[in-house]
Amino acid sequence: VILLSDKKYYVDAENGDDGWSGGEDAAWKTLAHAVEAAAEGDTIVLKRGTHPLASDLAIGKILTICGEGAADETTIDDNLKGHAIVVSAARFCLSGVTLSRLSADRAVKLVAGSVLTNCIVTGYSRAFDGAPVRATDALVTCCTFSNNTAVAVAGVEARGKSIVENCVFRNNRTTGGTNNGAGVVMLW
């Protein structure tokens, strides 16, 4: 059993430094450093602003990553460079952020027990098969998917026993392929 800790670390892409302690007044600069440094059960708070996704982000431990303030105030932006957030740990939670201009094949990959909540997914663009979010036995709740374009799925590719609830899908489009869906495509 892994208990969630009360430990919080902070990331400030504009004013932080990865050499600092990660405390509220000594925030780290990059999300990648925070994920590497945090322990199982910790929470990473992204300060308001834009956080560039400079490379693939592999998350193999139980963490909560949340934005400070409303989802539209904190952005993880890939700038259409093709990087992905790949979660391999159950009980991971990403909450309260905007995921902007993602373009990797299944740019956010969630596994069993993971949660994507209160997020905005916008500006996804992929000329080949892919989807902004792939959830396998995961929960996607209270998210907004808007202005995403993909060949097959411009919203959520939900597999297994995934639950997609209370989400808004608008202005998404698909451009061809199989299993087309501008919202949710369920695959078993």
Side-chain angles (χ1 to χ4, degrees):
V1 173
I2 296 177
L3 300 175
L4 297 181
S5 75
D6 289 331
K7 187 71 175 171
K8 284 187 182 177
Y9 292 106
Y10 293 82
V11 177
D12 184 338
E14 186 174 328
N15 300 309
D17 187 312
D18 285 343
W20 293 346
S21 68
E24 190 167 9
D25 295 326
W28 290 319
K29 184 168 188 69
T30 64
L31 178 55
H33 177 77
V35 167
E36 183 178 319
E40 291 271 350
D42 287 348
T43 297
I44 298 169
V45 178
L46 301 177
K47 296 244 184 187
R48 288 175 178 85
T50 299
H51 298 265
L53 191 60
S55 62
D56 286 348
L57 186 62
I59 301 170
K61 52 186 145 182
I62 297 168
L63 292 173
T64 296
I65 298 175
C66 59
E68 180 181 66
D72 62 355
E73 297 177 296
T74 305
T75 300
I76 298 173
D77 188 349
D78 182 42
N79 199 22
L80 300 176
K81 292 182 180 173
H83 301 122
I85 299 171
V86 181
V87 178
S88 60
R91 294 179 44 206
F92 167 82
C93 180
L94 180 59
S95 175
V97 299
T98 294
L99 299 165
S100 177
R101 299 187 299 169
L102 304 171
S103 63
D105 173 23
R106 289 137 185 109
V108 178
K109 298 175 189 170
L110 302 170
V111 297
S114 294
V115 177
L116 181 70
T117 184
N118 296 312
C119 290
I120 299 168
V121 180
T122 187
Y124 177 85
S125 181
R126 179 125 174 115
F128 305 103
D129 196 18
V133 174
R134 177 189 214 174
T136 303
D137 300 326
L139 173 62
V140 179
T141 184
C142 301
C143 294
T144 299
F145 294 82
S146 65
N147 303 311
N148 299 302
T149 302
V151 170
V153 181
V156 179
E157 178 185 309
R159 295 178 169 264
K161 296 178 183 174
S162 290
I163 297 171
V164 179
E165 64 182 12
N166 300 319
C167 292
V168 175
F169 297 88
R170 66 173 172 251
N171 300 323
N172 299 301
R173 70 183 191 98
T174 59
T175 58
T178 59
N179 297 323
N180 291 345
V184 180
V185 172
M186 299 295 292
L187 302 169
W188 290 268

